[in-house]
Structure formats: structure tokens, C-alpha cells
Amino acid sequence: MLVEVVADGLGAYRLGQATAALTFPLAGAVLLAIGIRRRRAHHRWNRRDDERLLHPGSDDDQVPPSLPPGRGTVFIILGVVALMLGAGHVLSYLAAHRPSSVANELDVGQCITAEAYSQGRMNAEAADCSRTDATLQLVSQGDSTATCPDGNRQGGQYPMLTNDARTQCFILNLIEAHCYAVARAAVPVDCTDPTANVKVASRVEGTAEDAACGADAEVLAYGQPQRSFCLIAP
């Protein structure tokens, strides 16, 4: 179903965000460790070389250690840069997903863009519901254990966003005669676009019976509030 595709895509998107946030710190730590190890090895080699000059003919001079491959400066610089980039990624990820301690700015009935929903931004600025990219409309909100109007949470009929503090439930806000690419969210596209996979044949603020969809249409109907779509191939 259309809504299930949206919900599944959001989970995959969040997993990708978390993975990306950890990649730079791990890579930076590895590079920094390699650089420091090479720097120490180079210093040890220099000290031994100085001792051989001061004490020629010593036992250490018989089998001189091999010169380390560089001072590790490049690895240290790359490691520091990667750690700084990683810190920025981690901080931005945590800021975007931490529970909000302030009142929710989004009111029931207001809309958000497909981009805001895909990124899981629960404090997104409200968008005019007449905008083509404002494809999600808030219909209910509650605490972290709240359910949507159909009594479900993840996997239900209503697309939702949730964190440790609150839950937001949405219905799709699609425009009649427009086409959309449905993946993580319903993104408006031209009907000739190869990514378009849904066209809204009709939209009714009522039941599926009121929509009177044709035989070739998929019916998407919400019970609370009542809204029905007849969806066809572009």
C-alpha cells in the first residue's frame, strides 16, 4: 500500500543517517592512530640514529633499524579533519533526533513538506497546504506512546513521526490531477517524469463511496478525518 511504502522508506532513511554520522568519526580515529604510530616510530628511529653517532661501534650500530615510512603527518592531518567532520555530523544528527523540550509548533490541520517528513523533522515549519510539495497534513499528536486515529502506530494507515517525547500522525495531502514519486514520501513530479508512480484521479473529503473510483484505480481512504483518493498509474 502507498502509506506502507512511505513508512518503510523513512525507516531506511533514518538508518542511513545514523550510519553516515558514524562513518567519519571511525575513519578519523583509524587515520589518527596510524599517524601517531608512525610519528612515534620515526622519533624512536631518530633517537637510535643519534645514539649511533654519539657511540659508534655499539651493538645497535651493527643491525640498524629500518627507516619508518614517513612521519605520519598526512595521516594525522586527515584523521583530525575526518574527526572534525564526524563531530559535525554526529551533533547535527543528535540535534535533529533529540526529544523536544519546547511546545510543538505544528498544529493539527497544518501541513509539512515531503522533504521535512523524509528527514523526520518533527519541529518542521508549517507549509501552506495548497503547496504541491506540502504532501503531509497533521491529524493527531500525542506523547511517545500515542496511537494514530486507526489505533495503530508503525505500519498503520497513517504516516507518522515519533521520538522519545511525542508522536505525530499525518494523512496524505495530494492534489487532484497531479503526479507523485512515492518512496520515502510523496514527492510531486511531472507526470512524464520516469520516477512518477502515482497520479491522483480524484480527491474527495469523504468516504471511498463518495470518491466513486473507477475499476482501474487504487482507493486510499482515511476514516478520521474523512478523505479519499482514487490513484491511478501516470
Side-chain angles (χ1 to χ4, degrees):
M1 179 181 279
L2 178 65
V3 176
E4 292 174 348
V5 173
V6 173
D8 292 343
L10 180 61
Y13 177 83
R14 287 178 171 174
L15 179 60
Q17 275 191 315
T19 302
L22 295 175
T23 298
F24 277 109
L26 292 175
V30 171
L31 290 170
L32 190 60
I34 293 174
I36 293 174
R37 184 174 181 179
R38 289 196 173 189
R39 176 63 60 86
R40 289 178 176 174
H42 193 275
H43 286 170
R44 286 195 299 268
W45 189 91
N46 283 336
R47 285 197 299 270
R48 290 184 179 182
D49 192 53
D50 291 341
E51 291 176 359
R52 287 197 301 275
L53 292 175
L54 294 174
H55 306 287
S58 63
D59 292 340
D60 289 341
D61 196 39
Q62 303 302 319
V63 184
S66 59
L67 178 66
R71 300 182 180 182
T73 303
V74 174
F75 286 94
I76 291 175
I77 293 175
L78 291 176
V80 171
V81 171
L83 283 174
M84 292 177 64
L85 291 173
H89 277 285
V90 170
L91 290 176
S92 62
Y93 177 82
L94 292 177
H97 292 82
R98 68 185 177 187
S100 175
S101 58
V102 299
N104 179 26
E105 297 295 333
L106 195 66
D107 294 325
V108 170
Q110 292 182 315
C111 296
I112 63 172
T113 64
E115 179 184 14
Y117 178 80
S118 294
Q119 295 177 355
R121 286 161 33 200
M122 300 188 70
N123 284 321
E125 182 179 353
D128 189 330
C129 291
S130 64
R131 285 172 45 177
T132 56
D133 63 339
T135 55
L136 277 299
Q137 185 174 18
L138 185 66
V139 295
S140 70
Q141 56 186 333
D143 60 22
S144 60
T145 63
T147 58
C148 292
D150 61 354
N152 295 315
R153 285 180 57 80
Q154 297 290 359
Q157 183 185 28
Y158 293 78
M160 67 179 297
L161 294 176
T162 185
N163 60 19
D164 293 337
R166 54 199 169 100
T167 299
Q168 295 176 331
C169 299
F170 300 85
I171 58 174
L172 292 177
N173 180 48
L174 310 181
I175 300 176
E176 191 170 304
H178 282 64
C179 293
Y180 298 85
V182 178
R184 287 187 292 271
V187 179
V189 294
D190 190 88
C191 290
T192 60
D193 192 304
T195 62
N197 54 12
V198 166
K199 181 177 181 179
V200 182
S202 65
R203 165 179 168 164
V204 175
E205 302 301 316
T207 65
E209 289 74 16
D210 296 328
C213 297
D216 60 339
E218 176 185 352
V219 181
L220 175 61
Y222 296 98
Q224 185 181 345
Q226 290 186 343
R227 177 178 295 170
S228 301
F229 298 96
C230 300
L231 305 175
I232 60 175

